[in-house]
Structure formats: C-alpha cells, structure tokens
Amino acid sequence: MATIPASELTRLQTTLRRLLGSPKLTVNPPARAGHTVELAVNDEVIGTVHRDNDEGEVSYAIHITVLEEDLPPA
C-alpha cells in the first residue's frame, strides 16, 4: 500500500470539503505504517481513502460505510 504524502492529503481534504459541502470533513493519515487513510466527519470515521496510480494518472477511491443503526427510524 502506497503512502500518501501529507501535502497530498491536505489537498484532497480541501477538495472533498468543497465537493461534499462539509467543512467538518477530515482526511486523516494512517495511525501506523500499512494502515489506511481515514475519512471522518466531526472526528467520527465514516470511511477510507485509497490512492491509485495507473500509468502516472493518480485517482482516489473513497469507501464510505453507513451502519444501519445510524439510519433514522423508518
């Protein structure tokens, strides 16, 4: 798993905040080497961020998890 430089995480966070309209969104570096980058809102982790470099073209995939218990009542 490739490490994402801190400056790149900052740029990604800025872009995601703008795109998703949430200034409380943070892109957090891994706590330890080999762990994933986490996406959080109000310090609650909601997903992970993965970086892909295909022939020099960089993209990011975001996996967001929503627990059923967090949904409003039916």
Side-chain angles (χ1 to χ4, degrees), residues 3-25:
T3 302
I4 303 175
S7 62
E8 198 169 324
L9 290 177
T10 301
R11 291 174 46 226
L12 180 59
Q13 176 176 283
T14 299
T15 299
L16 290 174
R17 283 178 173 178
R18 181 180 48 80
L19 287 172
L20 301 175
S22 179
K24 296 179 181 182
L25 182 141

Side-chain angles (χ1 to χ4, degrees), residues 45-65:
V45 175
I46 62 166
T48 56
V49 179
H50 304 277
R51 183 182 192 270
D52 183 46
N53 187 340
D54 184 20
E55 297 180 9
E57 194 169 299
V58 176
S59 63
Y60 306 89
I62 298 170
H63 180 100
I64 296 177
T65 302

